[in-house]
């Protein structure tokens, strides 16, 4: 799928989680619902770090372009080193390492560790990166026609304001993990979810997605998981733009209202 659809699906997924836990001991305070949806929308772009032309490659100027090149090379090297007898040869690393469930869990765990052990600036950095990505994905038309600096300023300002809201008692800095010193440990959860939603979305397209790597399936380590080929679609096709994106918006809105006990 393309960037806007990935971001919409990520936000909708987090709002769906919020609706599912509403009324339980793990109900999300509204700041967690909002911030988590934005982080998940941004994280749903992150697996495309292995693609030099993806939305994320343009999000932070030369830094993100360089990082995407490095991740592409790393992913390709891992693919070549671990491919099974049934895996084809390939020239790049797109839809390999960063499109696996293992990668999603490791990135989420690393983010949680950084948020818990780092200072306030670590939390602000995590928020800034993912809010910029959320703007690039959810407001892609405006982001494409605006200066990168304006998008970065919006991300930085939003990160500062939202962190201040979360820091207020009862607003969710300790949501899900309430032990002393566990504030913001939950930040890794929407990042894992966003990456997995991205992988599932790509699995619905023609090429499939190797979500289950390194489990061997049909003599392949990089088996492209997906539905029957007759049910798949091409990235950016009318199915994605005219059907899936509206569905994500409607479901996300309904789930958000449910999470806030409005429905």
């Amino acid at each position: 799928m393309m960037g806007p659809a990935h971001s919409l699906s990520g936000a909708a997924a987090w709002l769906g989680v919020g609706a599912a836990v509403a009324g339980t001991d793990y109900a999300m305070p509204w700041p967690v619902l909002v911030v988590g949806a934005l982080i998940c929308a941004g994280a749903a772009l992150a697996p495309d770090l292995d693609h030099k032309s993806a939305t994320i490659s343009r999000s932070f100027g030369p830094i993100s372009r360089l990082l995407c090149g490095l991740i592409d090379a790393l992913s390709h090297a891992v693919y070549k080193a671990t491919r099974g007898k049934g895996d084809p040869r390939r020239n790049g690393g797109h839809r390999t390492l960063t499109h696996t469930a293992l990668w999603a869990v490791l990135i989420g765990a690393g983010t949680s560790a950084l948020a818990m052990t780092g200072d306030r600036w670590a939390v602000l950095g995590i928020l800034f990166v993912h809010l910029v990505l959320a703007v690039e994905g959810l407001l892609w038309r405006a982001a494409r026609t605006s200066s990168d600096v304006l998008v970065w300023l919006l991300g930085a300002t939003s990160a500062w304001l939202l962190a201040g809201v979360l820091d207020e008692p009862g607003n969710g800095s300790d949501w899900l993990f309430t032990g002393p010193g566990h504030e913001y440990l939950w930040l890794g959860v929407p990042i894992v979810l966003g990456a997995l939603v991205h992988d599932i979305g790509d699995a619905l397209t023609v090429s499939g997605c190797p979500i289950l790597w390194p489990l061997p399936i049909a003599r392949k380590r990089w088996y492209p998981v997906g539905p029957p080929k007759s049910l798949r679609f091409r990235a950016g096709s009318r199915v994605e733009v005219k059907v899936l994106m509206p569905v994500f918006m409607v479901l996300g809105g309904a789930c958000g209202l449910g999470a806030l006990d409005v429905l």
Side-chain angles (χ1 to χ4, degrees):
M1 290 199 298
M2 306 299 286
H6 279 310
S7 285
L8 276 174
S9 64
W14 185 259
L15 295 171
V17 172
V21 300
T24 71
D25 292 339
Y26 304 105
M28 297 179 187
W30 72 263
V32 172
L33 185 70
V34 172
V35 174
L38 291 172
I39 292 176
C40 202
L45 295 180
D48 277 343
L49 273 170
D50 61 4
H51 191 354
K52 298 177 183 178
S53 300
T55 300
I56 192 172
S57 72
R58 302 185 295 269
S59 299
F60 299 97
I63 295 176
S64 54
R65 286 194 293 272
L66 174 62
L67 181 59
C68 284
L70 294 174
I71 296 296
D72 178 31
L74 172 64
S75 298
H76 188 209
V78 173
Y79 179 87
K80 289 193 298 182
T82 63
R83 71 185 185 93
K85 293 181 179 180
D87 291 311
R89 295 182 181 276
R90 55 184 302 155
N91 296 322
H94 182 46
R95 288 204 187 185
T96 55
L97 180 61
T98 62
H99 286 69
T100 65
L102 179 59
W103 174 273
V105 172
L106 291 176
I107 292 299
T111 301
S112 288
L114 177 62
M116 187 178 65
T117 59
D119 56 16
R120 178 178 173 81
W121 289 107
V123 173
L124 288 172
I126 294 168
L127 292 177
F128 167 71
V129 168
H130 289 88
L131 290 176
V132 168
L133 292 177
V135 171
E136 292 281 358
L138 298 175
L139 304 176
W140 66 276
R141 290 186 185 274
R144 290 278 180 90
T145 58
S146 300
S147 166
D148 287 342
V149 175
L150 290 179
V151 175
W152 300 339
L153 286 174
L154 176 60
T157 303
S158 300
W160 186 273
L161 293 175
L162 290 172
V165 172
L166 286 170
D167 281 339
E168 294 294 325
N171 276 1
S173 64
D174 60 349
W175 176 74
L176 201 60
F177 302 97
T178 58
H182 289 175
E183 292 80 9
Y184 293 109
L185 185 60
W186 64 270
L187 286 183
V189 179
I191 290 174
V192 174
L193 180 60
L196 291 177
V197 167
H198 178 114
D199 295 345
I200 293 170
D202 278 353
L204 298 176
T205 63
V206 173
S207 300
C209 188
I211 302 173
L212 300 179
W213 177 83
L215 296 179
I217 302 174
R219 300 175 64 242
K220 295 181 179 181
R221 289 283 181 181
W222 299 90
Y223 184 83
V225 175
K229 292 187 176 181
S230 61
L231 299 178
R232 302 186 191 188
F233 58 87
R234 293 189 178 278
S237 67
R238 290 178 61 85
V239 172
E240 178 180 330
V241 176
K242 300 297 185 180
V243 178
L244 291 182
M245 289 179 65
V247 167
F248 294 151
M249 287 189 280
V250 171
L251 288 179
C255 289
L257 294 175
L260 295 171
D261 285 333
V262 175
L263 289 180

